[in-house]
Amino acid sequence: MESTPQLSDDQLLVIHDLLLKSPPGELYIVLDEIRALLPGCAIPQEFLENAIKEYNLANHVLVDGKDSSTHLVLVGSNDDASNVYYDVLNQRMYTFDHLDNTVVSEEEFQDGAVLEEDMKQLRDLLIQKSRMYIKERFSKRSGAYIGVDGYHIDVILVGELFRLPSYYTGRWVSHYSLDVVNGSAHLAGIVDINTHYFENGNVRMDVHKELTPASLPLSSATAASVFAQIAAF
């Protein structure tokens, strides 16, 4: 009985690179094509799971919840083996299988973080504004993440549009950070846009843009000011 050919470290490195460079919405298509190029070769499952997880978290891929209108933004650490992710906007928590691309479990989540009143108010207003913003400006397949760590807040907005039968896919990821210091909220941010068009040729577009940092007074109007800055970006 013949043994299954083993892939070398160099071959695994190439596979890892190809997976991480997959166009939006085409990760598993790329994986199928890699497998087709390596008949009879088994790609180690742990290697695949780690590579797919790295791709998903680096690109803040959207995951469908049980409610088809709810999209979870994947935010987390590659080192966290629990694969549990939080949807603060909808107070849900998900266990996600990166290899199978499926939600294993979903349940209610109550944020038990202890926040000072001004940070709690700012977080809640940012959640409210983010809901309005993505509804007005993004496609139906979109989501937002608001995370608070002490006096630091992350705001991540994601929109995806996959039209494989029409030969194009795209993903928008914007990541803004707020650091609250001495009564001011210091705002910084980046936008990454990745698209793939392949009807007449094969074109990839990667755009990276940085927001000019701004300092905003901390008040009940800060969240509105943050999204005004984002909208003008």
Side-chain angles (χ1 to χ4, degrees):
M1 182 176 179
E2 294 183 3
S3 61
T4 302
Q6 299 296 309
L7 298 171
S8 68
D9 289 344
D10 287 342
Q11 287 174 311
L12 290 175
L13 188 61
V14 171
I15 293 171
H16 177 266
D17 191 51
L18 289 172
L19 290 174
L20 291 192
K21 292 180 179 177
S22 299
E26 300 177 53
L27 174 63
Y28 293 93
I29 295 174
V30 171
L31 178 56
D32 287 343
E33 291 177 345
I34 291 171
R35 283 173 166 153
L37 291 170
L38 298 169
C41 295
I43 305 175
Q45 181 166 316
E46 184 179 358
F47 164 84
L48 273 183
E49 183 174 2
N50 290 338
I52 291 172
K53 181 177 181 178
E54 184 179 352
Y55 175 91
N56 286 341
L57 295 181
N59 292 282
H60 297 301
V61 167
L62 294 176
V63 170
D64 296 332
K66 291 181 180 179
D67 175 359
S68 60
S69 64
T70 301
H71 304 293
L72 168 71
V73 179
L74 287 183
V75 179
S77 167
N78 290 313
D79 298 327
D80 183 358
S82 71
N83 292 329
V84 173
Y85 303 97
Y86 299 92
D87 178 0
V88 180
L89 272 67
N90 298 294
Q91 296 185 324
R92 310 291 293 175
M93 59 185 293
Y94 299 80
T95 302
F96 183 67
D97 186 322
H98 290 272
L99 189 59
D100 291 337
N101 193 31
T102 57
V103 171
V104 177
S105 65
E106 175 183 343
E107 56 188 279
E108 291 185 3
F109 159 69
Q110 295 294 331
D111 189 354
V114 179
L115 303 175
E116 292 192 10
E117 186 58 33
D118 56 350
M119 294 300 294
K120 182 178 183 300
Q121 181 186 51
L122 178 56
R123 180 201 61 185
D124 293 346
L125 289 172
L126 286 170
I127 289 174
Q128 178 185 335
K129 291 294 182 182
S130 67
R131 284 198 185 101
M132 296 169 55
Y133 188 83
I134 60 175
K135 182 178 181 180
E136 293 171 357
R137 294 174 178 266
F138 282 71
S139 65
K140 289 184 179 180
R141 186 170 180 78
S142 57
Y145 171 87
I146 310 292
V148 184
D149 182 8
Y151 291 94
H152 176 87
I153 300 179
D154 289 299
V155 178
I156 301 175
L157 309 174
V158 181
E160 295 178 336
L161 188 61
F162 305 147
R163 296 288 187 269
L164 291 171
S166 298
Y167 310 106
Y168 67 88
T169 66
R171 177 182 291 116
W172 169 296
V173 178
S174 48
H175 187 172
Y176 306 95
S177 62
L178 276 171
D179 289 290
V180 177
V181 181
N182 297 327
S184 294
H186 302 283
L187 174 66
I190 58 171
V191 171
D192 286 302
I193 305 169
N194 182 232
T195 62
H196 184 209
Y197 174 77
F198 49 98
E199 182 174 13
N200 295 310
N202 188 18
V203 180
R204 292 283 300 271
M205 181 183 74
D206 293 303
V207 175
H208 176 86
K209 187 177 180 182
E210 296 187 8
L211 174 74
T212 301
S215 184
L216 309 169
L218 188 62
S219 70
S220 59
T222 302
S225 298
V226 166
F227 276 89
Q229 292 278 336
I230 291 173
F233 179 23

